[in-house]
Amino acid sequence: MKKIKKLFLTNQGLFLVIILSCFPLIDLLNSGLPVTHDGTDHVARIANFYNALKDGVIFPRWGEYLNWGYGHPVMMFLYPFSSYFASLFHLFGFSYVDSLKLVFASGYIASGITMYLWAKKQFNDYFAVSSAVLYLYAPYRFVDMYVRGAIGEHMAFIFPPVILLFILLLFESKKRKKYLYGIGLAISTCLLLLSHNAISLMFLPIFAGYIFYLSLKHKDYRSLSLAAIGILYGFILSSFFTIPAFLEGKFTLRDIVTGDEYKKRFVDPISLLYGKWSYGITGQFSVQIGIIHLIGVITSFIFLASKKVRKLTGLVWLMFVCFVFSLFIMTSYSSPIYDIVTIFKKFQFPWRFLTLTVFTSSVFASGIFLVIKKDKLAKVLVFFIILGSLATTFTFWHAKEYKTVSDDFYNNVYYGTTDTGESAPIWSVRFMEKEADFHAEIIEGSGNIQEISRTSVRHEYFVTAQSERVRIRENTLYFPGWSVRVNGKETEVQFQDPNNRGLITYYVPKGQNNVVIQFYDTKLRILSNSVSVFGFLIIIVGCVFIYIKHGKKN
């Protein structure tokens, strides 16, 4: 009992953050799926992802039931971490919908915890509680959870504080632990990339700035090198996803669909200050920074601008610069930058930089606690930040409505692609419009087709061709990796026929034929998989080596 009491007394701030993170999640206790922009699509992805895992595919890339049953490579390009996490919940018996809700809930709580842990280590307990509360109660967090249903961005909020924490621990630790924290930095960077690849790029300048800041503070350039290596190693660990997602995008409609989309999605500067809460689409839902965040930023700016404290707050000013940049890049004033730095176009929606805004404003608005020296005053201020955050956002803590759908719905043909068409193969139409009558059809010649077996990545048929040459259409979209074997021999696949746009077609000779159509990893994917696996093996060997070496010293 004494140990529990001591644990509570030494971690009051952490327990407070955990309790506060539970309030906005109460609405998720409603049965059914929250009606959001992308919620149903995410559940469909999870179902296809889980089915691929069940078929023995470690790195799922093909959605069998998506796109009206024609299949889709969307899972190759969209953040797999949340799908792995949800699949784990489903494995333990939760429905797909409940698994999604559990991912949202656990991700939300975890983000508050990670922000608190880093801020406490870097600053102090009051700063940590304040920044964690602001991080949790930013209006955009509820847009992601209850309006958009953006699971990728939602989960990405967990990892920036974790990465900063490992960077800090690396600089402040002794030699042996530096390598362990470097490993933690690599894994957390990998998880951020797997949570949302685009969001990861937003935070790279903050990570780089933080490493540079600590290297100057500690005059430790060896740790600077280790931190940089740790982040780069995170890219290596995530190679199985990031490399194909980046390089094989040329086989999709990505650049056509998203090319100049950003020009229509710039944010009105006034709407950053205040906007009516709405469950509508882009241009309708709120992109406000948050009343308490704005008050906190202005207050901290006034106090931290004092010459007396300027030397103590270099890191906080870095957050302020990134905060101002995040606001600027969301407005049309930044349009020339998009033309110069074209990678910004890949973000598609400038308001996505609100993720960066939430993080930086939560930190900078808490900077006032670097000035306040009196304990009582700090407690009062924390109380008002908590009260204000709850009071100004409590009407946002719920979904528009809920709908109940069984798992059977998601385990069958899904009438959608789960994206806006940017991941569709470049040879196909952007969206299919109806479900095919059969998985495979004869389109030239005569004969019959008998389906033998079917998994998410392997379709087997027995074809009796009555004509000299029979052409068959497999009602599956072609994407690099699909292969057709007739009687054990690889057969040419035709997929650019204008009458069968993007669909797999092939010929079989007269007589009885065994046909196997299978989705393999390309050489690029195999290489990427190997890089990730090899990277994890090195980490395991390194941990064993460190453990043995440390054990001998003891």
Side-chain angles (χ1 to χ4, degrees), residues 344-425:
F344 283 138
K345 297 180 182 180
K346 305 297 183 186
F347 291 103
Q348 193 174 0
F349 306 114
W351 44 256
R352 275 202 169 122
F353 279 89
L354 276 168
T355 305
L356 191 60
T357 306
V358 169
F359 182 85
T360 53
S361 64
S362 299
V363 176
F364 186 77
S366 302
I368 187 69
F369 291 99
L370 298 178
V371 179
I372 296 175
K373 302 300 181 182
K374 294 182 179 180
D375 196 63
K376 288 184 178 180
L377 181 58
K379 286 182 179 179
V380 171
L381 186 55
V382 166
F383 172 78
F384 279 109
I385 288 173
I386 293 173
L387 186 64
S389 296
L390 271 64
T392 55
T393 64
F394 76 95
T395 57
F396 308 158
W397 306 348
H398 63 88
K400 183 179 181 181
E401 59 181 299
Y402 284 79
K403 66 177 182 180
T404 303
V405 181
S406 70
D407 277 2
D408 290 338
F409 172 80
Y410 299 104
N411 281 324
N412 287 291
V413 171
Y414 185 72
Y415 298 148
T417 62
T418 79
D419 71 359
T420 57
E422 69 267 22
S423 301

Coordinates of all heavy atoms in Angstrom, one line a residue, residues 344-425:
F344 N 5.7 19.7 -50.7 CA 4.6 20.2 -50.0 C 3.3 19.8 -50.7 O 2.2 19.6 -50.0 CB 4.6 21.7 -49.8 CG 5.6 22.1 -48.7 CD1 6.4 23.2 -48.9 CD2 5.7 21.5 -47.5 CE1 7.3 23.7 -48.0 CE2 6.6 21.9 -46.5 CZ 7.4 23.0 -46.8
K345 N 3.3 19.6 -52.0 CA 2.1 19.3 -52.7 C 1.6 17.9 -52.3 O 0.4 17.6 -52.5 CB 2.4 19.4 -54.2 CG 2.7 20.7 -54.7 CD 2.9 20.7 -56.2 CE 3.3 22.1 -56.7 NZ 3.6 22.1 -58.2
K346 N 2.5 17.0 -51.9 CA 2.2 15.7 -51.5 C 1.3 15.6 -50.3 O 0.6 14.6 -50.1 CB 3.4 14.8 -51.2 CG 4.5 14.9 -52.4 CD 4.0 14.2 -53.6 CE 5.1 14.2 -54.7 NZ 4.6 13.7 -56.0
F347 N 1.3 16.7 -49.5 CA 0.4 16.7 -48.3 C -1.1 16.8 -48.7 O -1.9 16.6 -47.9 CB 0.8 17.8 -47.4 CG 2.1 17.6 -46.8 CD1 3.3 18.3 -47.2 CD2 2.3 16.8 -45.7 CE1 4.5 18.1 -46.6 CE2 3.5 16.5 -45.1 CZ 4.6 17.2 -45.5
Q348 N -1.3 17.3 -49.9 CA -2.7 17.4 -50.5 C -3.5 18.5 -49.9 O -4.2 19.3 -50.6 CB -3.4 16.0 -50.5 CG -4.6 15.9 -51.3 CD -5.2 14.5 -51.3 OE1 -4.7 13.6 -50.7 NE2 -6.3 14.3 -52.0
F349 N -3.6 18.5 -48.5 CA -4.5 19.4 -47.8 C -3.6 20.3 -46.9 O -3.0 19.8 -45.9 CB -5.5 18.7 -47.0 CG -6.4 17.7 -47.8 CD1 -6.3 16.4 -47.5 CD2 -7.2 18.2 -48.8 CE1 -7.0 15.5 -48.2 CE2 -8.0 17.3 -49.5 CZ -7.9 15.9 -49.2
P350 N -3.4 21.6 -47.2 CA -2.5 22.4 -46.3 C -3.0 22.4 -44.9 O -2.1 22.5 -44.0 CB -2.7 23.8 -46.9 CG -3.0 23.5 -48.4 CD -3.8 22.3 -48.4
W351 N -4.3 22.2 -44.6 CA -4.7 22.2 -43.2 C -4.1 21.0 -42.4 O -4.3 21.0 -41.2 CB -6.2 22.3 -43.0 CG -7.0 21.4 -43.9 CD1 -7.7 21.8 -45.0 CD2 -7.2 20.0 -43.8 NE1 -8.3 20.7 -45.6 CE2 -8.1 19.6 -44.9 CE3 -6.8 19.0 -42.9 CZ2 -8.5 18.2 -45.1 CZ3 -7.2 17.7 -43.1 CH2 -8.0 17.3 -44.1
R352 N -3.5 20.1 -43.1 CA -2.9 19.0 -42.4 C -1.7 19.5 -41.4 O -1.4 18.8 -40.5 CB -2.3 17.9 -43.4 CG -3.3 16.9 -43.8 CD -2.6 15.7 -44.4 NE -3.6 14.6 -44.6 CZ -3.8 14.0 -45.7 NH1 -3.1 14.4 -46.8 NH2 -4.7 13.0 -45.8
F353 N -1.2 20.6 -41.8 CA -0.2 21.2 -40.9 C -0.7 21.6 -39.5 O 0.1 22.0 -38.7 CB 0.5 22.4 -41.6 CG 1.5 22.0 -42.6 CD1 1.2 21.8 -43.9 CD2 2.8 21.8 -42.3 CE1 2.1 21.4 -44.9 CE2 3.8 21.4 -43.2 CZ 3.4 21.2 -44.5
L354 N -2.0 21.5 -39.3 CA -2.5 21.7 -38.0 C -2.0 20.7 -37.0 O -1.9 21.0 -35.8 CB -4.1 21.6 -38.0 CG -4.9 22.8 -38.4 CD1 -6.3 22.5 -38.7 CD2 -4.8 23.9 -37.4
T355 N -1.5 19.6 -37.5 CA -0.8 18.6 -36.6 C 0.4 19.2 -36.0 O 0.6 19.1 -34.8 CB -0.4 17.3 -37.3 OG1 -1.6 16.8 -38.0 CG2 0.2 16.3 -36.4
L356 N 1.2 19.9 -36.8 CA 2.3 20.6 -36.3 C 1.9 21.8 -35.4 O 2.6 22.1 -34.4 CB 3.1 21.1 -37.5 CG 4.5 21.7 -37.3 CD1 5.4 20.6 -36.6 CD2 5.2 22.2 -38.6
T357 N 0.9 22.5 -35.8 CA 0.4 23.6 -35.0 C 0.0 23.2 -33.6 O 0.3 23.8 -32.6 CB -0.9 24.3 -35.7 OG1 -0.6 24.6 -37.0 CG2 -1.3 25.5 -34.9
V358 N -0.7 22.1 -33.5 CA -1.2 21.5 -32.2 C 0.0 21.3 -31.3 O 0.1 21.6 -30.1 CB -2.0 20.2 -32.4 CG1 -2.2 19.6 -31.0 CG2 -3.3 20.6 -33.0
F359 N 1.0 20.6 -31.9 CA 2.2 20.2 -31.1 C 3.0 21.5 -30.6 O 3.3 21.6 -29.4 CB 3.1 19.3 -31.9 CG 4.4 18.9 -31.1 CD1 4.3 17.8 -30.3 CD2 5.5 19.6 -31.2 CE1 5.4 17.4 -29.6 CE2 6.7 19.2 -30.5 CZ 6.6 18.1 -29.7
T360 N 3.3 22.3 -31.5 CA 4.1 23.5 -31.2 C 3.4 24.5 -30.3 O 4.0 25.1 -29.4 CB 4.6 24.2 -32.5 OG1 3.5 24.5 -33.3 CG2 5.6 23.3 -33.3
S361 N 2.1 24.7 -30.5 CA 1.4 25.6 -29.7 C 1.2 25.1 -28.3 O 1.3 25.8 -27.3 CB 0.0 25.9 -30.3 OG -0.8 24.8 -30.3
S362 N 1.1 23.8 -28.1 CA 1.0 23.1 -26.8 C 2.2 23.3 -26.0 O 2.2 23.5 -24.8 CB 0.7 21.7 -27.0 OG -0.6 21.5 -27.6
V363 N 3.4 23.3 -26.7 CA 4.7 23.5 -26.0 C 4.9 24.9 -25.7 O 5.2 25.3 -24.6 CB 5.8 22.9 -26.8 CG1 7.2 23.2 -26.2 CG2 5.6 21.4 -27.0
F364 N 4.8 25.8 -26.7 CA 5.1 27.2 -26.5 C 4.1 27.9 -25.5 O 4.5 28.7 -24.7 CB 5.0 28.0 -27.8 CG 5.5 29.4 -27.7 CD1 6.9 29.7 -27.6 CD2 4.6 30.4 -27.7 CE1 7.3 31.0 -27.5 CE2 5.0 31.7 -27.5 CZ 6.4 32.0 -27.4
A365 N 2.8 27.5 -25.6 CA 1.9 28.1 -24.7 C 2.1 27.7 -23.2 O 1.7 28.4 -22.3 CB 0.4 27.6 -25.0
S366 N 2.9 26.7 -23.0 CA 3.3 26.3 -21.6 C 4.6 26.9 -21.2 O 5.0 26.7 -20.0 CB 3.4 24.7 -21.6 OG 2.2 24.1 -22.0
G367 N 5.2 27.7 -22.0 CA 6.4 28.4 -21.7 C 6.3 29.3 -20.5 O 7.4 29.6 -19.9
I368 N 5.2 29.7 -20.2 CA 5.0 30.6 -19.0 C 5.5 30.0 -17.8 O 5.9 30.7 -16.8 CB 3.5 31.0 -18.9 CG1 3.2 32.1 -17.8 CG2 2.6 29.8 -18.7 CD1 3.8 33.4 -18.2
F369 N 5.5 28.6 -17.7 CA 5.9 27.9 -16.5 C 7.4 28.0 -16.3 O 7.9 27.5 -15.3 CB 5.4 26.5 -16.5 CG 3.9 26.4 -16.3 CD1 3.1 26.2 -17.4 CD2 3.3 26.5 -15.1 CE1 1.7 26.2 -17.3 CE2 1.9 26.5 -14.9 CZ 1.1 26.3 -16.1
L370 N 8.1 28.5 -17.3 CA 9.6 28.7 -17.2 C 9.8 30.0 -16.4 O 11.0 30.3 -16.0 CB 10.2 28.7 -18.5 CG 10.1 27.4 -19.3 CD1 10.8 27.5 -20.7 CD2 10.7 26.2 -18.6
V371 N 8.8 30.8 -16.4 CA 8.9 32.1 -15.7 C 8.4 32.1 -14.3 O 9.0 32.7 -13.4 CB 8.2 33.2 -16.6 CG1 8.3 34.6 -15.9 CG2 8.7 33.2 -18.0
I372 N 7.3 31.4 -14.1 CA 6.7 31.4 -12.8 C 7.5 30.6 -11.8 O 7.9 29.5 -12.0 CB 5.3 30.8 -12.9 CG1 4.3 31.6 -13.8 CG2 4.6 30.6 -11.5 CD1 3.0 31.0 -14.0
K373 N 7.8 31.2 -10.7 CA 8.7 30.6 -9.7 C 7.9 30.1 -8.5 O 8.3 29.2 -7.8 CB 9.8 31.6 -9.2 CG 10.7 32.1 -10.3 CD 11.4 31.0 -11.1 CE 12.3 31.5 -12.2 NZ 13.0 30.4 -12.9
K374 N 6.7 30.7 -8.3 CA 5.9 30.4 -7.1 C 5.1 29.2 -7.4 O 4.3 29.1 -8.4 CB 5.0 31.6 -6.7 CG 5.8 32.8 -6.2 CD 4.9 33.9 -5.8 CE 5.7 35.1 -5.2 NZ 4.8 36.2 -4.8
D375 N 5.1 28.2 -6.5 CA 4.5 26.9 -6.7 C 2.9 27.1 -6.7 O 2.2 26.5 -7.5 CB 4.9 26.0 -5.5 CG 4.5 24.5 -5.8 OD1 5.0 24.0 -6.8 OD2 3.7 24.0 -5.1
K376 N 2.4 27.9 -5.8 CA 1.0 28.1 -5.7 C 0.4 28.8 -7.0 O -0.7 28.4 -7.5 CB 0.6 29.0 -4.5 CG 0.8 28.3 -3.1 CD 0.3 29.1 -2.0 CE 0.5 28.4 -0.6 NZ 0.0 29.3 0.5
L377 N 1.1 29.7 -7.5 CA 0.7 30.4 -8.7 C 0.7 29.5 -9.9 O -0.2 29.5 -10.7 CB 1.6 31.6 -9.0 CG 1.3 32.4 -10.2 CD1 -0.1 33.0 -10.1 CD2 2.3 33.6 -10.4
A378 N 1.7 28.6 -9.9 CA 1.8 27.6 -11.0 C 0.6 26.6 -10.9 O 0.0 26.3 -12.0 CB 3.1 26.8 -10.9
K379 N 0.2 26.2 -9.7 CA -0.9 25.3 -9.6 C -2.2 26.0 -10.0 O -3.0 25.3 -10.7 CB -1.0 24.9 -8.1 CG 0.0 23.9 -7.7 CD -0.2 23.5 -6.2 CE 0.9 22.5 -5.8 NZ 0.7 22.1 -4.3
V380 N -2.4 27.2 -9.7 CA -3.6 28.0 -10.0 C -3.7 28.1 -11.6 O -4.7 27.9 -12.2 CB -3.6 29.4 -9.4 CG1 -4.7 30.2 -10.0 CG2 -3.8 29.2 -7.9
L381 N -2.5 28.4 -12.2 CA -2.5 28.5 -13.6 C -2.8 27.2 -14.3 O -3.6 27.1 -15.3 CB -1.2 29.0 -14.1 CG -1.0 29.4 -15.6 CD1 -2.1 30.4 -16.0 CD2 0.4 29.9 -15.9
V382 N -2.3 26.1 -13.8 CA -2.6 24.8 -14.4 C -4.0 24.5 -14.3 O -4.7 23.9 -15.2 CB -1.7 23.7 -13.7 CG1 -2.3 22.3 -14.0 CG2 -0.3 23.7 -14.1
F383 N -4.6 24.8 -13.1 CA -6.1 24.6 -12.9 C -6.9 25.3 -14.0 O -7.8 24.8 -14.5 CB -6.4 25.1 -11.5 CG -7.9 25.0 -11.3 CD1 -8.6 23.8 -11.0 CD2 -8.7 26.2 -11.3 CE1 -10.0 23.8 -10.8 CE2 -10.0 26.2 -11.1 CZ -10.7 25.0 -10.8
F384 N -6.5 26.6 -14.2 CA -7.3 27.4 -15.2 C -7.1 26.9 -16.6 O -8.0 26.9 -17.5 CB -7.0 28.9 -15.1 CG -7.7 29.5 -14.0 CD1 -7.0 30.0 -12.8 CD2 -9.1 29.8 -14.1 CE1 -7.7 30.6 -11.8 CE2 -9.8 30.4 -13.0 CZ -9.1 30.8 -11.9
I385 N -5.9 26.4 -16.9 CA -5.6 25.8 -18.3 C -6.5 24.5 -18.5 O -7.1 24.4 -19.5 CB -4.2 25.4 -18.4 CG1 -3.3 26.7 -18.6 CG2 -3.9 24.5 -19.6 CD1 -1.9 26.5 -18.6
I386 N -6.6 23.7 -17.4 CA -7.4 22.5 -17.5 C -8.9 22.9 -17.6 O -9.6 22.4 -18.5 CB -7.2 21.6 -16.3 CG1 -5.8 21.0 -16.2 CG2 -8.2 20.5 -16.2 CD1 -5.4 20.3 -15.0
L387 N -9.3 23.8 -16.8 CA -10.7 24.2 -16.8 C -11.1 24.9 -18.1 O -12.2 24.6 -18.7 CB -11.0 25.2 -15.6 CG -12.4 25.6 -15.4 CD1 -13.3 24.4 -15.0 CD2 -12.5 26.7 -14.3
G388 N -10.2 25.7 -18.6 CA -10.5 26.4 -19.9 C -10.5 25.4 -21.0 O -11.4 25.6 -21.9
S389 N -9.6 24.5 -21.0 CA -9.6 23.5 -22.1 C -10.8 22.6 -22.1 O -11.4 22.4 -23.2 CB -8.3 22.6 -21.9 OG -7.1 23.3 -22.0
L390 N -11.3 22.2 -21.0 CA -12.5 21.4 -20.9 C -13.7 22.3 -21.3 O -14.6 21.8 -22.1 CB -12.7 20.9 -19.5 CG -12.1 19.5 -19.2 CD1 -10.6 19.5 -19.3 CD2 -12.5 19.0 -17.8
A391 N -13.8 23.5 -20.8 CA -15.0 24.3 -21.0 C -15.1 24.8 -22.5 O -16.2 24.9 -23.0 CB -14.9 25.6 -20.1
T392 N -14.0 24.9 -23.2 CA -14.1 25.4 -24.6 C -14.2 24.3 -25.6 O -14.3 24.6 -26.8 CB -12.8 26.3 -24.9 OG1 -11.6 25.5 -24.6 CG2 -12.8 27.6 -24.1
T393 N -14.0 23.1 -25.2 CA -14.1 22.0 -26.1 C -15.1 20.9 -25.8 O -15.3 20.0 -26.7 CB -12.7 21.3 -26.3 OG1 -12.4 20.7 -25.0 CG2 -11.6 22.3 -26.6
F394 N -15.8 20.9 -24.7 CA -16.6 19.8 -24.3 C -17.7 19.5 -25.3 O -18.2 18.3 -25.4 CB -17.2 19.9 -22.9 CG -18.3 20.9 -22.8 CD1 -19.6 20.4 -22.8 CD2 -18.1 22.3 -22.7 CE1 -20.7 21.3 -22.8 CE2 -19.1 23.1 -22.6 CZ -20.5 22.7 -22.6
T395 N -18.1 20.5 -26.1 CA -19.2 20.2 -27.1 C -18.6 19.5 -28.3 O -19.4 19.1 -29.2 CB -19.8 21.6 -27.5 OG1 -18.8 22.4 -28.0 CG2 -20.5 22.2 -26.4
F396 N -17.3 19.3 -28.4 CA -16.7 18.6 -29.5 C -16.5 17.2 -29.3 O -16.1 16.4 -30.2 CB -15.3 19.3 -29.8 CG -15.3 20.7 -30.0 CD1 -14.1 21.5 -29.9 CD2 -16.4 21.5 -30.3 CE1 -14.0 22.8 -30.0 CE2 -16.4 22.8 -30.5 CZ -15.2 23.5 -30.4
W397 N -16.8 16.7 -28.0 CA -16.4 15.3 -27.6 C -17.4 14.3 -28.1 O -17.6 13.3 -27.3 CB -16.2 15.2 -26.1 CG -15.3 16.2 -25.5 CD1 -14.4 17.1 -26.1 CD2 -15.2 16.5 -24.1 NE1 -13.8 17.8 -25.2 CE2 -14.2 17.5 -23.9 CE3 -15.8 15.9 -23.0 CZ2 -13.9 18.0 -22.7 CZ3 -15.5 16.4 -21.7 CH2 -14.5 17.4 -21.6
H398 N -17.9 14.4 -29.2 CA -18.9 13.3 -29.6 C -19.0 13.3 -31.1 O -18.7 14.3 -31.8 CB -20.3 13.6 -29.0 CG -20.9 14.9 -29.5 ND1 -21.7 15.0 -30.6 CD2 -20.8 16.1 -28.9 CE1 -22.1 16.2 -30.7 NE2 -21.6 17.0 -29.7
A399 N -19.4 12.1 -31.6 CA -19.5 12.0 -33.1 C -20.9 12.5 -33.5 O -21.8 12.6 -32.6 CB -19.4 10.5 -33.4
K400 N -21.1 12.7 -34.7 CA -22.4 13.1 -35.2 C -23.5 12.1 -34.9 O -24.6 12.4 -34.5 CB -22.3 13.4 -36.7 CG -23.5 13.9 -37.4 CD -23.3 14.2 -38.9 CE -24.6 14.7 -39.5 NZ -24.3 14.9 -41.0
E401 N -23.2 10.8 -35.2 CA -24.1 9.7 -34.9 C -23.3 8.4 -34.9 O -22.1 8.4 -35.3 CB -25.2 9.7 -35.9 CG -24.8 9.6 -37.3 CD -26.0 9.6 -38.3 OE1 -26.8 8.7 -38.1 OE2 -26.1 10.5 -39.1
Y402 N -24.0 7.3 -34.6 CA -23.3 6.0 -34.7 C -24.2 5.1 -35.5 O -25.4 5.2 -35.6 CB -23.2 5.4 -33.3 CG -22.1 6.0 -32.5 CD1 -22.2 7.3 -31.9 CD2 -20.9 5.4 -32.4 CE1 -21.2 7.8 -31.1 CE2 -19.8 5.9 -31.6 CZ -20.0 7.2 -31.0 OH -19.0 7.7 -30.3
K403 N -23.5 4.2 -36.2 CA -24.3 3.2 -37.0 C -23.7 1.8 -36.7 O -22.5 1.6 -36.4 CB -24.2 3.4 -38.5 CG -22.8 3.3 -39.1 CD -22.9 3.5 -40.6 CE -21.5 3.3 -41.2 NZ -21.6 3.5 -42.7
T404 N -24.6 0.8 -36.7 CA -24.2 -0.6 -36.3 C -24.1 -1.4 -37.6 O -25.1 -1.5 -38.3 CB -25.2 -1.2 -35.4 OG1 -25.3 -0.4 -34.2 CG2 -24.8 -2.6 -35.0
V405 N -22.9 -1.9 -37.9 CA -22.7 -2.8 -39.0 C -21.9 -4.0 -38.6 O -21.0 -3.9 -37.8 CB -21.9 -2.0 -40.1 CG1 -21.7 -2.9 -41.3 CG2 -22.6 -0.8 -40.5
S406 N -22.3 -5.2 -39.0 CA -21.6 -6.4 -38.6 C -20.3 -6.6 -39.3 O -20.1 -6.0 -40.4 CB -22.5 -7.6 -38.9 OG -22.7 -7.9 -40.2
D407 N -19.5 -7.5 -38.8 CA -18.2 -7.8 -39.4 C -18.4 -8.4 -40.8 O -17.5 -8.2 -41.7 CB -17.4 -8.7 -38.6 CG -16.6 -7.9 -37.5 OD1 -16.8 -6.7 -37.4 OD2 -15.9 -8.6 -36.7
D408 N -19.5 -9.1 -41.0 CA -19.7 -9.7 -42.3 C -19.7 -8.7 -43.5 O -19.3 -8.9 -44.6 CB -21.1 -10.4 -42.3 CG -21.0 -11.7 -41.4 OD1 -19.9 -12.2 -41.2 OD2 -22.1 -12.1 -41.0
F409 N -20.2 -7.5 -43.1 CA -20.2 -6.4 -44.2 C -18.8 -6.1 -44.7 O -18.6 -5.9 -45.9 CB -20.8 -5.1 -43.6 CG -20.8 -3.9 -44.4 CD1 -21.7 -3.7 -45.5 CD2 -19.8 -2.9 -44.2 CE1 -21.6 -2.6 -46.3 CE2 -19.7 -1.8 -45.1 CZ -20.6 -1.7 -46.1
Y410 N -17.8 -6.1 -43.7 CA -16.5 -5.7 -44.1 C -15.7 -6.9 -44.6 O -14.6 -6.7 -45.2 CB -15.7 -5.1 -42.9 CG -16.4 -3.9 -42.4 CD1 -17.2 -3.9 -41.2 CD2 -16.3 -2.7 -43.1 CE1 -17.8 -2.7 -40.8 CE2 -16.9 -1.5 -42.6 CZ -17.6 -1.5 -41.5 OH -18.3 -0.4 -41.1
N411 N -16.2 -8.1 -44.4 CA -15.5 -9.3 -45.0 C -16.0 -9.7 -46.3 O -15.7 -10.8 -46.8 CB -15.7 -10.5 -44.0 CG -14.8 -10.4 -42.8 OD1 -13.6 -10.0 -42.9 ND2 -15.3 -10.8 -41.6
N412 N -16.8 -8.8 -47.0 CA -17.3 -9.0 -48.3 C -16.9 -7.9 -49.2 O -16.2 -6.9 -48.8 CB -18.8 -9.2 -48.3 CG -19.2 -10.6 -47.7 OD1 -19.0 -11.6 -48.3 ND2 -19.8 -10.6 -46.5
V413 N -17.4 -7.9 -50.4 CA -17.0 -6.8 -51.4 C -17.4 -5.5 -50.8 O -18.5 -5.3 -50.4 CB -17.8 -7.1 -52.7 CG1 -17.6 -5.9 -53.7 CG2 -17.2 -8.4 -53.4
Y414 N -16.5 -4.5 -50.9 CA -16.7 -3.2 -50.4 C -16.8 -2.2 -51.5 O -16.0 -2.2 -52.4 CB -15.5 -2.8 -49.5 CG -15.6 -1.5 -48.8 CD1 -16.5 -1.3 -47.7 CD2 -14.9 -0.3 -49.2 CE1 -16.7 -0.1 -47.1 CE2 -15.1 0.9 -48.6 CZ -16.0 1.0 -47.5 OH -16.1 2.2 -46.9
Y415 N -17.9 -1.5 -51.5 CA -18.2 -0.6 -52.6 C -17.5 0.7 -52.5 O -18.1 1.8 -52.3 CB -19.7 -0.4 -52.7 CG -20.5 -1.7 -53.0 CD1 -21.8 -1.9 -52.6 CD2 -19.9 -2.7 -53.8 CE1 -22.5 -3.1 -52.8 CE2 -20.6 -3.9 -54.1 CZ -21.9 -4.1 -53.6 OH -22.5 -5.2 -53.9
G416 N -16.2 0.7 -52.6 CA -15.4 1.9 -52.5 C -13.9 1.5 -52.5 O -13.6 0.3 -52.4
T417 N -13.0 2.5 -52.7 CA -11.6 2.2 -52.7 C -10.9 2.6 -51.4 O -9.8 2.3 -51.2 CB -10.9 3.0 -53.9 OG1 -11.1 4.4 -53.6 CG2 -11.5 2.7 -55.2
T418 N -11.6 3.3 -50.6 CA -11.2 3.9 -49.3 C -10.2 5.0 -49.5 O -9.6 5.5 -48.5 CB -10.6 2.8 -48.3 OG1 -9.2 2.5 -48.7 CG2 -11.4 1.6 -48.3
D419 N -10.0 5.6 -50.7 CA -9.3 6.8 -50.8 C -10.0 7.6 -51.9 O -11.0 7.2 -52.4 CB -7.8 6.6 -51.1 CG -7.5 6.0 -52.4 OD1 -8.4 5.8 -53.2 OD2 -6.3 5.8 -52.7
T420 N -9.4 8.7 -52.3 CA -10.0 9.6 -53.4 C -9.6 9.2 -54.8 O -9.8 9.9 -55.7 CB -9.7 11.1 -53.1 OG1 -8.3 11.2 -53.1 CG2 -10.3 11.5 -51.8
G421 N -9.0 8.0 -54.9 CA -8.6 7.5 -56.2 C -7.2 7.7 -56.5 O -6.7 7.2 -57.5
E422 N -6.4 8.4 -55.6 CA -5.0 8.6 -55.9 C -4.2 7.4 -55.9 O -3.1 7.3 -56.5 CB -4.4 9.7 -54.9 CG -4.3 9.2 -53.5 CD -5.5 9.5 -52.6 OE1 -6.6 9.7 -53.2 OE2 -5.4 9.5 -51.4
S423 N -4.7 6.3 -55.2 CA -3.9 5.0 -55.2 C -4.3 4.1 -56.3 O -3.8 3.0 -56.3 CB -4.0 4.4 -53.8 OG -3.6 5.2 -52.8
A424 N -5.2 4.5 -57.1 CA -5.7 3.6 -58.2 C -4.6 3.4 -59.2 O -3.8 4.3 -59.5 CB -6.9 4.1 -58.9
P425 N -4.4 2.2 -59.7 CA -3.3 1.9 -60.8 C -3.5 2.9 -61.9 O -4.7 3.2 -62.3 CB -3.6 0.5 -61.2 CG -4.2 -0.2 -60.0 CD -5.1 0.9 -59.4

